[in-house]
Amino acid sequence: MKQQKPPVVLCFSGLDPTGGAGIQADIEAIAKHGCHAAPIITANTVQDTTNVISFKPVDAALILKQARTVLKDMPVSAIKIGMLGSGETAEAIYTLFRQYSDIPVILDPVLAAGGGTSLAQKNLIDAINTLIIPRTYILTPNVPEALLLTNSKAQAESAAQLLNKMGAKYVLLTGTHTKNPDVIHKLYFKSKNQKSFTYKRLQNEYHGSGCTLAASLAALIAQKMDPVNACQNALDFTYKALINANNLGNGQLIPNRNI
Ligand code: PLP
């Protein structure tokens, strides 16, 4: 019997040499969900499992050339965006959107490393808000990211609803950074609708959990799963990867996506 071709997910992500976050997380999660990752590196980072020490964005013109070349060659079923590295790269990706307006975009707004280092300056945050979010199908901010993107000290809930109004069709606000005993992730859509996903809080910290979640979502959306089920499945997969994470460095644990 002829095997079905795996859907292609085009990824824009940073390279994390620990292999926990960034493009490696994308490739592993996307493969595990039965899709093929087409990886484009947006930035090279120097980091360990505790924090990002520095990073160098890749030239935006090169990124654009790589993406155009792949898009001409392969049928891309979803685009996953993680760390962008520079405002110029956000602008380059925006120019692709005009030509490829039907491909769903899953955006993990990577603004800071788990250890606290900022990965996005103001001009990049502005570019994400004005150029990328209006084209985003599912946005996956944590609470600090939702507040930073909307420049609000307001409640996370209002920030998530504002992100819906700014153009993200679905906003999956992840709940790790709240004080709740359980971790409650909330999906906001069509302004008032919400769905909650509750998980037992884990005691460790992880390097690449957000990337695992967004990449899984992109793979499931590439397979035409509806967004609510895709969120449930991607969150379940990420939780399993965290429960089975490995303590490979001196800092956060590395999610085990090979489960
Ligand atoms: N992408 C890269 C390249 C990173 O270096 C980081 C964090 O350091 C992230 C994404 C976000 O990681 P997480 O999934 O842990 O939020």
Side-chain angles (χ1 to χ4, degrees):
M1 205 171 65
K2 198 163 176 270
Q3 236 188 326
Q4 261 207 328
K5 285 185 196 172
V8 176
V9 179
L10 180 63
C11 303
F12 296 93
S13 291
L15 175 74
D16 164 14
T18 75
I23 204 79
Q24 181 163 333
D26 293 355
I27 296 169
E28 290 179 358
I30 286 166
K32 198 69 196 174
H33 288 287
C35 291
H36 173 81
I40 296 184
I41 309 280
T42 52
N44 251 305
T45 71
V46 177
Q47 65 180 295
D48 55 22
T49 51
T50 303
N51 205 355
V52 173
I53 293 134
S54 62
F55 71 89
K56 195 167 179 185
V58 172
D59 174 47
L62 174 65
I63 291 172
L64 187 57
K65 237 189 239 177
Q66 289 177 318
R68 281 202 194 290
T69 306
V70 170
L71 281 158
K72 261 193 214 148
D73 191 40
M74 294 172 153
V76 170
S77 301
I79 295 175
K80 188 258 165 176
I81 302 176
M83 177 180 178
L84 281 161
S86 76
E88 289 76 19
T89 295
E91 284 165 24
I93 293 174
Y94 174 72
T95 66
L96 287 176
F97 289 161
R98 272 178 290 174
Q99 198 177 344
Y100 297 93
S101 55
D102 293 340
I103 305 177
V105 173
I106 315 306
L107 172 64
D108 174 17
V110 177
L111 305 181
T117 300
S118 169
L119 299 176
Q121 295 183 330
K122 177 151 187 333
N123 73 320
L124 173 53
I125 294 177
D126 289 347
I128 289 173
N129 277 335
T130 54
L131 304 178
I132 310 290
I133 286 182
R135 247 304 258 122
T136 295
Y137 188 50
I138 308 183
L139 177 69
T140 62
N142 57 35
V143 170
E145 286 164 346
L147 296 177
L148 193 56
L149 284 171
T150 54
N151 193 22
S152 56
K153 297 196 173 54
Q155 289 179 326
E157 169 148 354
S158 329
Q161 284 168 341
L162 180 56
L163 289 164
N164 271 151
K165 287 202 187 96
M166 287 158 63
K169 289 227 160 37
Y170 291 82
V171 177
L172 179 59
L173 182 71
T174 59
T176 316
H177 292 77
T178 64
K179 294 227 153 53
N180 261 322
D182 283 333
V183 174
I184 304 172
H185 309 295
K186 277 192 188 170
L187 182 64
Y188 295 82
F189 52 107
K190 292 187 190 132
S191 71
K192 291 274 180 280
N193 285 345
Q194 283 177 30
K195 169 143 182 64
S196 295
F197 307 90
T198 303
Y199 293 83
K200 205 164 155 267
R201 187 172 287 279
L202 302 172
Q203 292 313 314
N204 289 305
E205 287 187 14
Y206 303 92
H207 203 78
S209 50
C211 311
T212 306
L213 172 66
S216 300
L217 261 177
L220 295 166
I221 293 298
Q223 292 172 79
K224 309 267 181 273
M225 192 179 277
D226 72 90
V228 175
N229 275 324
C231 286
Q232 180 76 70
N233 278 276
L235 286 165
D236 286 350
F237 175 80
T238 304
Y239 194 66
K240 233 179 1 164
L242 300 186
I243 287 174
N244 291 285
N246 290 306
N247 193 2
L248 301 178
N250 291 310
Q252 299 128 13
L253 274 58
I254 306 274
N256 183 355
R257 292 167 285 257
N258 191 25
I259 28 118

